[in-house]
């Protein structure tokens, strides 16, 4: 998922996530659009689970989810909104193989209810 970065001095509510597939923009969003603030999510989790350095908290995905196929190249970057434009974290990977997944079968009919 890319190199670790320190969060000191970073506004966690002003992070921009961009994902490209085969060089084309696929997803673009910001933590400022999240329903719950990042700090609230982390506080909730740490009351229930121990978090260690290097742990990732995955919260869902922005609009733009589509199927990936073997051979696709995926690139992701995380930047500070209003920052100098440099990436805080970047990663790229190639889809090797895997079963075709019907994404519609994974979607809950009510997006506000966890399945």
């Amino acid at each position: 998922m890319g190199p670790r970065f320190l969060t000191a001095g970073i506004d966690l509510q002003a992070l921009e996530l961009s994902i490209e597939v085969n060089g084309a923009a696929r997803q673009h969003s910001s933590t400022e659009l999240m329903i719950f603030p990042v700090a609230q999510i982390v506080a909730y989790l740490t009351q229930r689970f121990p978090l260690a350095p290097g742990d990732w908290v995955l919260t869902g995905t922005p609009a733009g989810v589509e199927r990936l196929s073997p051979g696709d190249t995926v690139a992701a970057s995380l930047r500070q909104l209003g920052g100098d434009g440099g990436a805080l974290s970047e990663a790229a990977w190639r889809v090797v193989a895997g079963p075709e997944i019907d994404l519609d079968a994974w979607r809950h009919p009510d997006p506000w209810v966890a399945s």
Side-chain angles (χ1 to χ4, degrees), residues 1-18 30-31 56 76-91:
M1 287 198 179
R4 189 180 338 178
F5 63 93
L6 301 175
T7 57
I10 294 175
D11 181 356
L12 297 177
Q13 278 313 118
L15 297 177
E16 173 184 69
L17 171 69
S18 298
S30 165
T31 54
W56 284 79
S77 68
L78 188 65
R79 301 178 187 283
Q80 180 77 52
L81 288 173
D84 63 5
L88 299 171
S89 184
E90 293 182 311

Side-chain angles (χ1 to χ4, degrees), residues 21-56:
V21 176
N22 300 325
R26 176 74 64 90
Q27 294 180 285
H28 185 87
S29 194
S30 165
T31 54
E32 68 185 357
L33 299 175
M34 293 175 64
I35 295 170
F36 298 103
V38 174
Q40 183 178 348
I41 293 168
V42 172
Y44 176 86
L45 290 173
T46 57
Q47 290 174 3
R48 289 153 180 82
F49 310 100
L51 292 180
D55 284 351
W56 284 79

Side-chain angles (χ1 to χ4, degrees), residues 68-115:
L68 295 174
S69 299
D72 284 348
T73 300
V74 180
S77 68
L78 188 65
R79 301 178 187 283
Q80 180 77 52
L81 288 173
D84 63 5
L88 299 171
S89 184
E90 293 182 311
W93 58 95
R94 181 174 298 280
V95 178
V96 177
E100 288 294 319
I101 298 173
D102 181 1
L103 294 176
D104 291 324
W106 287 85
R107 289 191 177 96
H108 193 281
D110 182 349
W112 299 105
V113 176
S115 38

